[in-house]
Amino acid sequence: MIELPEAAVLAKQVNETVIGKRIRDVVAAKSPHKFAWYYGDPKTYRGMLAGKVMSTASAYGGLLEIAAPNFVLLFGDGVSLRFFEKGEKLPDKHQLWIEFEDSSSLVGAVQMYGGLWVFPAGGFDNKYYLIAKEKFSPLAEAFNGNYFNGLFDEKTEKLSLKAFLATEQRIPGLGNGVLQDILFNSKMHPKKKAGTLSEKDKEELFDSLKATLSRMVAYGGRDTESDLYGRQGGYKTILSRNTLDKPCPVCGTIIKKEVYMGGSIYFCSTCQKT
Ligand SMILES: [Zn+2]
């Protein structure tokens, strides 16, 4: 599942590779998928996009937005988006295939679930999208210590740090994947209650959040995800399915996994305190 770092990397790669290309053809919803979401009837996508030149790509949280004149393409966090040069073999199954005039392609395929939305600019009132666009990105300067401290209030006191960081779109794009290393680097357990954090703890969590996400972006996304060219990200996750049952890099304790709040958490029971 792509989250903030991978969406940022995809936006950069789309800007390097696809921008300026003119769309020749569009095939939407070729492979049936129960949990692929479209804007209106996907049969209208071709009419909206054919002949258009791709302009800027931007990441908002875990979403990737690509602008074409008067229209917007938006990919949700469960979509795998790949670029293929002319002559490269395309995947058999996909939910959106955009072919450019130079015969290269952009192909979107839904994994478990995901949105591939094409809509007239300004015409999509999806709440998740609007909130992701409106809030500060944790990578932005405006997301500073004061802003972060302002996210804590009476209602968040009883929340675990996992719930605090990764629900309610408090921080768009920060999901169950990236939060594991953010918490490891701040030496806090995912079940630690937000209300127990001292001012110094909040500072440490804020620093870890900024530094960990920046590193993930700098290294091209996490090694549990793929980029626009199908390459694994260069950021080596400390806590993920890749490191389960391996020793903690700091103290050597075996890394554990637990199911918690509808997803897996990974942690070092020695380094991370509740
Ligand atoms: Zn440890």
Side-chain angles (χ1 to χ4, degrees):
M1 194 67 77
I2 68 166
E3 293 182 22
L4 183 143
E6 291 78 33
V9 169
L10 282 171
K12 181 170 169 274
Q13 293 177 331
V14 168
N15 280 325
E16 287 164 359
T17 307
V18 177
I19 295 318
K21 290 183 188 277
R22 188 180 296 278
I23 298 171
R24 180 160 66 199
D25 204 359
V26 177
V27 177
K30 180 191 165 241
S31 312
H33 195 300
K34 256 189 203 166
F35 302 105
W37 302 312
Y38 302 95
Y39 176 89
D41 184 351
K43 288 195 191 84
T44 63
Y45 283 15
R46 189 177 187 281
M48 286 193 266
L49 293 177
K52 298 281 186 334
V53 175
M54 302 287 250
S55 52
T56 323
S58 317
Y60 298 108
L63 301 171
L64 174 71
E65 182 196 86
I66 310 174
N70 306 321
F71 293 97
V72 173
L73 297 90
L74 184 70
F75 298 96
D77 49 12
V79 177
S80 153
L81 191 67
R82 290 281 310 275
F83 174 77
F84 296 93
E85 289 287 2
K86 177 183 178 179
E88 275 190 276
K89 191 184 175 326
L90 303 182
D92 295 328
K93 287 189 178 175
H94 53 76
Q95 280 73 39
L96 186 63
W97 171 27
I98 295 171
E99 190 190 35
F100 301 106
E101 280 187 337
D102 65 0
S103 300
S104 62
S105 297
L106 196 60
V107 178
V110 172
Q111 296 166 326
M112 282 160 73
Y113 58 85
L116 313 105
W117 301 286
V118 177
F119 51 91
F124 191 33
D125 59 1
N126 179 295
K127 208 176 119 201
Y128 189 80
Y129 169 53
L130 297 179
I131 291 177
K133 274 192 95 152
E134 181 190 287
K135 289 201 174 176
F136 292 140
S137 162
L139 299 176
E141 250 178 72
F143 192 108
N144 55 25
N146 277 339
Y147 179 80
F148 182 67
N149 287 341
L151 300 176
F152 292 85
D153 59 25
E154 283 155 30
K155 279 186 243 160
T156 64
E157 272 187 17
K158 292 203 164 56
L159 297 181
S160 65
L161 289 180
K162 168 170 170 167
F164 174 76
L165 290 173
T167 62
E168 302 287 326
Q169 274 189 295
R170 221 168 262 111
I171 307 169
L174 198 166
N176 190 51
V178 301
L179 84 83
Q180 315 283 344
D181 283 11
I182 291 172
L183 290 176
F184 179 84
N185 289 330
S186 62
K187 300 188 170 61
M188 294 175 199
H189 194 282
K191 289 184 181 174
K192 186 179 173 69
K193 294 281 181 267
T196 67
L197 266 61
S198 64
E199 290 310 307
K200 189 163 175 291
D201 290 338
K202 286 181 190 169
E203 219 171 279
E204 276 167 18
L205 182 56
F206 170 75
D207 288 344
S208 167
L209 188 153
K210 283 266 190 185
T212 308
L213 288 172
S214 303
R215 213 173 309 140
M216 288 171 172
V217 175
Y219 283 93
R222 288 167 293 150
D223 60 358
T224 50
E225 310 298 321
S226 301
D227 68 6
L228 191 67
Y229 314 107
R231 296 180 309 212
Q232 192 185 63
Y235 173 88
K236 295 266 169 277
T237 44
I238 306 168
L239 298 179
S240 73
R241 60 174 186 266
N242 293 353
T243 64
L244 177 64
D245 296 331
K246 292 189 175 142
C248 163
V250 172
C251 74
T253 304
I254 296 302
I255 289 167
K256 283 194 195 132
K257 170 181 158 176
E258 243 178 63
V259 174
Y260 177 56
M261 288 177 59
S264 300
I265 50 170
Y266 300 86
F267 55 91
C268 168
S269 55
T270 305
C271 290
Q272 292 171 270
K273 304 292 181 206
T274 48

